[in-house]
Each structure stands twice: as structure tokens, then as C-alpha cells.
């Protein structure tokens, strides 16, 4: 008869070891809009002040153990936040800029000292109105034809604002709201010509339009702000052929004198195209009024007389001159007309003639008694005077020149012809004892004679070109020609003009010289322009335009540049010195170079024209140079001279220090070679250094941009979690057994794991039972020395808390009781529930 096993005995023989699982802590997921929890869907305005408390990390531990909080960032990103490890308060420690970084990735973690749960979160940076609009593709310059129709589109400006929302919207308007020619579309930025407005190149060749770009406004640090920017559009007007030609210097009057030769030029009319941007050529022609007596040069506008003035039938001719534009295609275009008045003038070129009884006579004699009666007429003189000129030119005055107060002449004014009478004025003065002969001259004075004289008053031409040395006091002698005699032939000179203040003119001689205080310098101003005026006693004048060209005088020394103080010479390569002479002309500004002093004197040669200094051909190594002097130094001092070629010649000397090296020294390294080459030119080294720094900055910007776009494509909402768990230190087996006995009452909610069967005689029926899900393994057996605590992760995505089993030797199967099966089923349900909760986090 088979005996049933004794269960109490079997239980008494089994040695159980129970362990409690330590669950990892976790964050609370309070969703969007919450200021505490796991920072999921958390956003922060970019204008949040540094030092602000922005969030509170909040979580719990299933066992109720104390927890701590941590936050970290990727090495390539900024550490924007800090956290209080005990309270979970997160503080902003760096300024935010949405335009540069619109999201921040951080790793937050919660730990109970044994387990560490880390989550990767993305904090969104929201916009604040902190950016002003900025115009792109400046400067704005546009060319518009002057015949552009009103209302037409001229140009389009574009401004961008990096903000979002209303702060990123841009509207445009003109700074000058009262502009009468232009308007801008407030939304598109299109600049247009206002309705009814026109452009005119002849009135204004350019317009400057200032456009303001303004954003829609927004909040910034608790205040509503609006930003704006301005840009200027330069509207250059393009000339088109829309304006008729016009005459310059109107009205036109010309005079033809009776001694004018046929073919002589009377006057010149000048016309120009009214379109000054691209003017057309103009042609002249006489329309009417000339009666064949005049002609005009079709290109120059010069009007000439064709006939002898004596043959002209009119005293005044009214000519009509027409000017016509000729387009680039050669066809006639716009026209204009101007009247020209030409008067035929009879000159006062026939002096009066005295006649006696027998014809023209220049000498008259008369015998008379002394002391004749007062007012008696000298009847023995038969004198007649006649002027063959016509009109006013035949009018003249008579004067009696001689001892004053004795006689007077009648009439004193004559028109064409008169009988001349001499009357006694002072009888007492006619005394034989005092004077047996009295001599007088009857002279005539033409009133309008100066008209002819002023026409002949000339300065030798309209333009005078004077060349003088810049140090010379006297410039030129101007001499006017006046055919009149006496006081009417005296000429006074004066100068005027914008550049005449440095010059004086002798009013009598016409000698021009410089002001005592003036310093003429051909290097500063080589040419002056002013006018000389010659004027007679009645204000009749003539003008001449004078151009004074200063001839350069050698008055400057050659000057060496600052880089001459020290040079570095490589064997086989020359060094160059350079001096400049500020004189204006050659040969005063040409410089020759020489070495004035060197010890020893047989080391260097210099090119007299270029200033290149070389070692002599016999010196080809540093050793040869070393043997020349006793001190063996490779640094030499030279005294060099720069001398100009002027007369007299000026020279300047300078002390030059030359450091000599060879190509072997340069081959030691590229940096050494560069430093030696750049020694004479420090700005070269600065430029290379600036270029290297620019390359480094560009590479850094590229790397940062690539990292930013890579991170931007990652998950922005759901956190990525991982659980870090520390393996507990093993405890002695006796303590573990006591702990299992104490916790036995709570076996329904904890894992119950059995040890190996001590004897190996386990029931076969138990072996055939269904195997429960894997439970957390027991701690490893106690060791003689404590082991290092190792952290390892348990992913929460699958909801499993089961660590990987270390590879161990196979263990015998354990017996199972009904109580154990119940506990296993309950444990399975808890695992499934826990797994569904963990999936909800993801």
C-alpha cells in the first residue's frame, strides 16, 4: 500500500527565500498647460526673464522612498535650465531667443536612490515681439523714364520680421505722408507713381522716397510694443525726348557797321536740346527776313552779312531763326524759333573838315589892332566846318584851345555843317606889347565818337591763357587798344570772378600779380580762371576770360614711407625702398635712390630708379656674409638717399636696418616663413589672421545650423523614458530568511520565489504544472567582499520590469502549491495592468 507524502514534513524540509521588488519612481503626467509634472507639452515665452521659476518637476516613488530630480542637456546645446534636486523647481538661467532656437531638448530624471528614470523632453519656446522688421536687398535704386504713366508701378520693397503672429506681420507706408508724386501699397510694398502725378527730368533728376516698414505689434516683457524700420528708395529719372530746344542768351541784337566787310560774322545764336540727359544735335536755318543779305551756319548758329553795308536798303532787319533737333536716327524732331534784330549803323568815321574860301584849309591867319571892342567878330576869318557822316554821327562840338578867356567860338555845337565865328571875349588881353602873335586851335569833339571807340577797345581776344611759375609774383601784362585819344583813350583795368581773390591788377598798366598773402601751389590748384575788364572814362568796356596755369616749381622734398625703418632680406631676393615727391610735374617728382653710407661698403647694390637693394653677386650664402665682418652679425644698417631730379634738386636720407636670412630658415616651417615675410608688412599678418578667424566662425555656424535642423526633426511632444536601476548589495542569508518570515503575511501582493530543492527529490507532478511568468530573480548569493553597485536600465515601453537573467548553471525545478499558483495568477494580472499604464505614457 502506497503512502501519501506528508506535506508538513515536505514543507518543513523546504527552505524558502522571499524577496520584495523595488519599483522605479515616475513623473506625474499632468498634460499641457500644467506647471508641474514631467514637462510634457511645456512651452515658455522667449522674453521670460533669466532667474524666473518656470516649472516644477513632480513625481512619486511606489515605495514612498525620498526622490530627487535632475536635468541635463546634450553636450552641443546650452544648459538653459537648472533644477532644485529636492523640490524639483526649474529655473531659467540663460536668455531665450525663439528666432535662434525655437525648441529646447532636455533630459529630466527622477531617482529614489536605487532606481533612476530619465525622460527626454522638448520645451517649446513661444514668440514675443522682440524683432524689428528688416529690409532685404538694400540699397534700393531704380531708374524710371520721365514719361512713366501716373499710377504705374515703379518698385517693390520687401521687409521681413522674424517674429510670428501679429509681431511678424509687416505693413508699409511713406515717411512723408504729404508726398505728391509717390504712394506705397501698405501690404505688398509696391511703390507707385500717384494718380495725376508726372515726372520731369528737366525739373528734378532724382527723387528720394523714404519707406517705413512697421510690424503688427505684440507683447514684450509685459508691454505692448511696435517696431519699425526705414529704407530710402532712390528714384533716378531717365530723360526722354519730350522737350523742345530752347535758345540761350535771348533777345538777340546785332549791328552791321558801314565799314563791315561782306562775309563778316555779325552775331551767333545758341540753342540747346531741352532734354539734357541725352541731348540731340541741333541745326539752324533762316526762315525769313534776311532778303538775301544774311546767312546762318546750320551747325554753329553764326549769322554773317553777305552784302556791302552801303548796298543794304534797310536800317533794321528782323530775321527769324529756326532750330531743329536731329534724332539719333537722323530724322528731324522738335523745333523752336527766335527773332533776331540786326541794325545797320553809320559809323562816326568821317572827321569834320574845315573849309576856307578856296576849299579845305587847316591854317587861318588874320591881322588886327590891339584892344578891339568887346564882343567884336573877327570878320576877316571865313571858316566853314562840315561832317559828311549821317544822323547823330554828324553832330559834334567845337572848342577853342589856346590862351584862355581871349576869344570864344560860335557855334559850339554843329550838326553836319556850320559857319564858324570867332568873337572877342577879353579885349585887354589883346595887347601888342605883351604878345605880337596869338595862336589858337579850333578842335572838334564828336559826342558819339566813343561808341566807335568802345567797339574797337579790345584785349587781344576773348580768352587769355597765362602760364607762370607757382612762385612767380608777376603773371602777364594786358594791354587794351582804344583808338581814341586824350582822356577817351585812357583805359583802366580790373579783374573779377570766383577765383580772382588771389590776384591783383595794376589799373593803369594791366600788369597782373599775386596778392602778398597768396600762396600759389601747383600741387593744390594748378589752374585759375577769372575775367579782366578794360574800361574807358565813360564806362564803355570789354572783357577777356583769363586762364592762369601754374608751372610746377621744385619745392618739395622726397619722403620715405614708414616701412623703411626695418626690412627682412632673403638671400637672392631684393628688398625695395620707396620715396614719394609731392611736386606736380616731371622731372621735379622723379626720384633717384643711392646708398650714401655702409660699412663695409661692398655688400649691397641699389637700383637708382626702382630703389631695389640686392646683395652683391659675390655674396651667395650666409657664410660668405659672416666672413665679411668681424662680429659676424646678419643685421646691417644702411644710410640711403632719395633725390629728385628738379632744379635745384632736393634730397632726403634715412637709416635702413636689414635682417638677412636664407631659404633654409624659411623651410623650417610655414609659420616661420610667413612671419618673416610679413615682418615688413604687419597688415598682411593681420589680414591672414582675420581670414583664419572668419573660416573658423563659418565652420562653427554650419555645424550649429546642421545640429539645429537635425534636432528640429525629432519628437517634440512625447518624452523618451528609460529606467536606471541599481542592483542592491547582497545581504547575509540568515537575515534574508528572517525578513521573508516577517513579510510572509503580505505574500498575496508580493513575489514569492522558491529556492532550489535542498535534496533534489522534487515531485514530478509539480514539474508538470504550468510555468508562471518570469518574476524578478533573487539576489545573487552572498560574497565575502561587497561588490560594486551597477546601474542598468529597464525599458518601460514594453511594461516589463524583468531584468535579463545572468547566465547561470541550470537549477532544479521547484515544487508549487495551490497558494503559489494563486499568487502567480495575481502577479500576472498586475504585470498586465502595469504594462498598459506604461504604454499610456508613450
Amino acid at each position: 500500500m502506497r503512502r501519501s507524502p506528508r506535506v508538513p514534513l515536505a514543507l518543513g524540509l523546504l527552505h524558502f527565500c522571499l524577496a520584495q521588488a523595488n519599483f522605479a519612481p515616475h513623473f506625474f503626467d499632468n498634460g499641457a498647460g500644467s506647471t508641474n509634472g514631467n514637462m510634457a507639452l511645456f512651452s515658455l515665452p522667449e522674453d521670460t526673464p533669466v532667474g524666473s521659476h518656470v516649472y516644477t518637476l513632480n513625481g512619486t516613488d511606489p515605495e514612498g522612498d525620498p526622490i530627487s530630480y535632475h536635468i541635463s542637456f546634450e553636450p552641443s546645446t546650452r544648459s538653459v535650465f537648472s533644477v532644485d534636486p529636492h523640490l524639483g523647481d526649474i529655473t531659467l538661467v540663460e536668455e531665450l531667443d525663439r528666432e535662434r532656437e525655437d525648441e529646447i531638448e532636455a533630459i529630466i530624471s527622477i531617482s529614489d536612490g536605487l532606481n533612476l528614470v530619465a525622460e527626454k523632453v522638448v520645451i517649446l519656446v513661444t514668440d514675443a515681439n522682440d524683432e524689428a522688421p528688416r529690409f532685404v536687398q538694400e540699397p534700393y535704386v531704380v531708374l524710371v523714364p520721365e514719361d512713366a504713366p501716373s499710377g504705374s508701378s515703379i518698385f517693390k520693397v520687401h521687409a521681413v520680421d522674424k517674429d510670428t503672429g501679429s509681431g511678424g506681420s509687416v505693413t508699409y507706408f511713406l515717411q512723408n505722408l504729404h508726398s505728391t508724386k509717390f504712394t506705397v501699397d501698405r501690404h505688398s510694398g509696391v511703390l507707385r507713381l500717384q494718380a495725376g502725378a508726372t515726372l520731369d527730368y528737366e525739373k528734378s533728376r532724382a527723387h528720394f522716397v523714404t519707406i517705413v516698414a512697421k510690424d503688427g505689434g505684440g507683447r514684450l516683457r509685459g508691454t505692448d510694443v511696435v517696431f519699425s524700420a526705414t529704407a530710402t528708395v532712390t528714384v533716378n529719372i531717365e530723360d526722354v525726348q519730350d522737350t523742345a530746344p530752347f535758345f540761350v542768351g535771348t533777345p538777340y541784337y546785332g549791328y552791321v557797321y558801314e565799314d563791315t566787310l561782306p562775309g563778316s560774322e555779325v552775331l551767333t545764336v545758341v540753342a540747346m536740346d531741352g532734354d539734357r540727359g541725352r541731348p540731340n544735335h541741333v541745326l539752324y536755318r533762316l526762315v525769313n527776313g534776311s532778303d538775301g543779305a544774311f546767312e546762318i551756319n546750320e551747325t554753329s548758329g553764326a549769322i554773317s552779312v553777305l552784302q556791302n553795308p552801303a548796298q543794304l536798303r534797310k536800317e533794321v532787319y528782323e530775321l527769324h531763326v529756326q532750330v531743329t533737333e536731329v534724332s539719333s536716327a537722323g530724322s528731324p524732331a522738335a523745333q523752336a524759333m527766335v527773332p533776331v534784330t540786326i541794325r545797320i549803323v553809320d559809323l562816326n568815321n568821317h572827321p569834320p573838315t574845315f573849309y576856307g574860301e578856296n576849299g579845305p584849309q587847316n591854317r587861318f591867319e588874320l591881322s588886327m589892332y590891339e584892344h578891339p571892342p568887346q564882343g567884336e567878330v573877327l570878320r576877316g576869318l571865313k571858316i566853314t566846318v562840315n561832317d559828311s557822316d549821317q544822323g547823330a554821327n554828324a553832330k559834334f562840338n567845337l572848342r577853342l584851345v589856346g590862351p584862355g578867356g581871349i576869344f570864344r567860338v560860335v557855334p559850339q555845337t554843329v550838326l553836319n555843317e556850320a559857319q564858324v565865328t570867332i568873337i572877342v571875349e577879353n579885349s585887354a588881353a589883346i595887347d601888342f606889347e605883351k604878345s605880337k602873335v596869338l595862336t589858337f586851335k579850333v578842335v572838334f569833339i564828336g559826342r558819339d565818337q566813343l561808341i566807335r571807340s568802345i567797339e574797337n577797345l579790345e584785349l587781344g581776344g576773348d580768352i587769355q591763357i597765362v602760364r607762370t611759375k607757382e612762385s612767380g609774383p608777376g603773371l602777364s601784362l594786358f594791354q587794351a587798344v582804344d583808338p581814341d585819344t586824350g582822356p577817351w583813350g585812357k583805359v583802366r583795368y580790373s579783374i573779377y570772378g570766383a577765383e580772382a581773390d588771389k590776384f591783383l591788377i595794376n589799373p593803369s598798366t594791366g600788369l597782373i600779380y599775386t596778392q602778398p598773402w597768396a600762396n600759389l601751389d601747383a600741387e593744390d590748384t594748378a589752374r585759375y580762371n577769372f575775367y579782366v575788364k578794360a574800361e574807358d572814362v565813360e564806362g564803355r568796356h570789354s572783357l577777356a576770360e583769363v586762364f592762369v596755369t601754374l608751372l610746377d616749381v621744385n619745392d618739395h622734398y622726397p619722403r620715405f614711407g614708414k616701412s623703411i625703418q626695418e626690412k627682412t632680406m632673403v638671400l637672392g631676393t631684393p628688398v625695395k625702398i620707396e620715396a614719394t615727391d609731392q611736386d606736380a610735374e616731371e622731372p621735379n617728382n622723379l626720384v633717384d635712390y643711392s646708398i650714401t653710407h655702409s660699412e663695409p661698403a661692398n655688400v649691397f647694390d641699389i637700383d637708382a630708379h626702382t630703389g631695389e637693394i640686392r646683395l652683391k653677386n659675390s655674396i651667395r650664402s650666409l657664410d660668405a656674409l659672416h666672413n665679411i665682418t668681424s662680429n659676424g652679425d646678419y643685421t646691417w644698417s644702411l644710410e640711403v638717399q632719395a633725390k629728385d631730379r628738379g632744379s635745384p634738386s632736393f634730397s632726403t636720407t634715412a637709416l635702413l636696418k636689414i635682417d638677412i636670412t636664407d631659404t633654409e630658415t624659411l623651410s623650417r616651417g610655414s609659420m616661420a616663413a610667413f612671419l618673416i615675410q610679413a615682418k615688413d608688412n604687419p597688415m598682411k599678418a593681420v589680414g591672414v589672421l582675420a581670414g583664419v578667424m572668419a573660416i573658423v566662425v563659418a565652420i562653427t555656424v554650419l555645424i550649429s545650423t546642421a545640429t539645429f535642423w537635425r534636432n528640429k526633426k525629432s519628437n517634440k511632444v512625447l518624452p523618451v523614458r528609460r529606467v536606471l536601476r541599481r542592483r542592491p548589495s547582497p545581504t547575509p542569508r540568515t537575515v534574508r530568511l528572517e525578513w521573508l518570515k516577517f513579510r510572509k503575511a503580505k505574500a498575496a501582493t508580493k513575489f514569492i520565489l522558491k529556492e532550489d530543492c535542498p535534496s533534489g527529490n522534487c515531485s514530478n507532478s509539480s514539474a508538470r504544472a504550468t510555468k508562471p511568468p518570469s518574476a524578478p530573480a533573487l539576489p545573487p548569493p552572498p560574497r565575502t567582499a561587497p561588490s560594486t553597485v551597477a546601474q542598468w536600465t529597464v525599458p518601460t515601453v514594453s511594461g516589463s520590469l524583468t531584468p535579463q537573467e545572468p547566465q547561470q548553471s541550470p537549477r532544479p525545478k521547484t515544487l508549487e502549491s495551490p497558494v503559489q499558483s494563486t499568487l502567480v495568477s495575481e502577479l500576472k494580472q498586475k504585470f498586465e495592468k502595469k504594462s498598459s499604464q506604461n504604454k499610456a505614457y508613450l
Side-chain angles (χ1 to χ4, degrees), residues 191-321:
L191 183 67
R192 290 187 173 89
L193 190 63
Q194 279 192 4
T198 58
L199 301 176
D200 192 344
Y201 177 88
E202 286 70 36
K203 293 182 179 179
S204 179
R205 301 186 180 185
H207 298 272
F208 302 95
V209 184
T210 301
I211 298 179
V212 180
K214 184 176 68 173
D215 63 20
R219 304 284 292 180
L220 178 63
R221 299 181 182 91
T223 306
D224 291 327
V225 295
V226 177
F227 290 104
S228 63
T230 61
T232 299
V233 180
T234 302
V235 181
N236 291 323
I237 309 303
E238 182 181 11
D239 190 26
V240 296
Q241 291 296 329
D242 61 347
T243 305
F246 64 95
F247 286 90
V248 180
T250 58
Y252 292 118
Y253 296 96
Y255 299 92
V256 175
Y257 302 100
E258 61 177 335
D259 59 350
T260 301
L261 298 178
S264 299
E265 181 178 319
V266 178
L267 80 160
T268 300
V269 296
V270 179
M272 293 186 295
D273 185 358
D275 302 300
R276 303 306 303 152
R278 290 178 297 177
N280 288 329
H281 294 291
V282 294
L283 297 179
Y284 306 90
R285 75 183 186 94
L286 290 176
V287 178
N288 53 36
S290 67
D291 295 339
F294 301 92
E295 68 175 0
I296 188 171
N297 188 299
E298 67 173 5
T299 57
S300 66
I303 299 176
S304 302
V305 61
L306 299 178
Q307 301 177 5
N308 192 310
Q311 300 174 349
L312 299 179
R313 296 188 295 265
K314 297 181 180 179
E315 293 186 1
V316 177
Y317 286 83
E318 291 288 344
L319 310 182
H320 290 85
V321 178

Side-chain angles (χ1 to χ4, degrees), residues 389-415:
D389 290 320
Q390 301 297 321
N393 292 331
K395 188 176 182 179
F396 56 93
N397 296 328
L398 295 178
R399 297 288 184 270
L400 193 63
V401 179
I406 300 178
F407 299 99
R408 62 185 179 91
V409 62
V410 177
Q412 294 185 352
T413 301
V414 179
L415 179 60

Side-chain angles (χ1 to χ4, degrees), residues 464-667:
Q464 298 284 332
I465 299 177
V466 180
R467 297 184 180 271
T468 183
K469 293 184 178 181
E470 59 183 341
S471 61
L475 298 180
S476 180
L477 180 64
F478 282 82
Q479 185 66 46
V481 178
D482 191 334
D484 290 322
T485 59
W488 297 274
K490 293 182 179 180
V491 180
R492 294 184 60 83
Y493 302 92
S494 60
I495 60 175
Y496 66 95
E499 299 179 354
D501 57 336
K502 292 187 177 182
F503 303 93
L504 294 174
I505 188 169
N506 189 301
S508 301
T509 63
L511 177 65
I512 298 178
Y513 50 93
T514 59
Q515 293 275 10
W517 50 266
N519 182 21
L520 301 183
D521 191 350
E523 291 77 29
D524 182 22
T525 303
R527 195 175 188 183
Y528 295 89
N529 171 230
F530 52 86
Y531 293 89
V532 174
K533 179 179 180 181
E535 186 177 16
D536 62 15
V537 293
E538 290 199 2
R540 310 294 183 177
H541 63 272
S542 178
L543 297 178
E545 189 172 9
V546 180
F547 291 93
V548 178
T549 301
L550 298 185
L551 303 178
D552 185 44
V553 175
N554 191 25
D555 56 352
H556 287 87
Y557 289 80
R559 294 181 180 272
F560 284 105
K562 296 181 179 179
S563 60
I564 193 177
Q565 298 177 355
E566 187 172 352
K567 298 282 186 182
T568 299
M569 175 183 287
V570 180
L571 285 175
T573 304
V575 296
K576 186 176 181 179
I577 62 174
E578 187 175 2
T580 57
D581 194 309
Q582 296 182 358
D583 284 311
E585 300 176 0
E586 297 180 358
N588 297 334
N589 57 7
L590 298 179
V591 180
D592 294 328
Y593 303 92
S594 62
I595 298 176
T596 56
H597 184 71
S598 176
E599 292 184 2
N602 57 348
V603 178
F604 299 99
D605 288 328
I606 187 171
D607 190 306
H609 301 296
T610 64
E612 290 187 348
I613 299 177
R614 299 177 180 269
L615 290 172
K616 288 186 176 295
N617 295 332
S618 59
I619 302 175
R620 300 183 179 179
S621 65
L622 291 180
D623 294 335
L625 190 64
H626 179 79
N627 296 330
I628 294 178
T629 58
S630 58
N631 56 7
D633 193 3
Y634 298 129
T635 301
W636 301 75
S637 295
L638 308 178
E639 186 179 83
V640 294
Q641 182 187 71
K643 184 176 182 180
D644 63 30
R645 301 181 187 177
S647 179
S649 178
F650 295 103
S651 62
T652 302
T653 59
L655 187 63
L656 173 63
K657 180 180 178 182
I658 299 180
D659 296 328
I660 303 177
T661 183
D662 58 3
T663 55
E664 294 181 359
T665 303
L666 295 177
S667 63

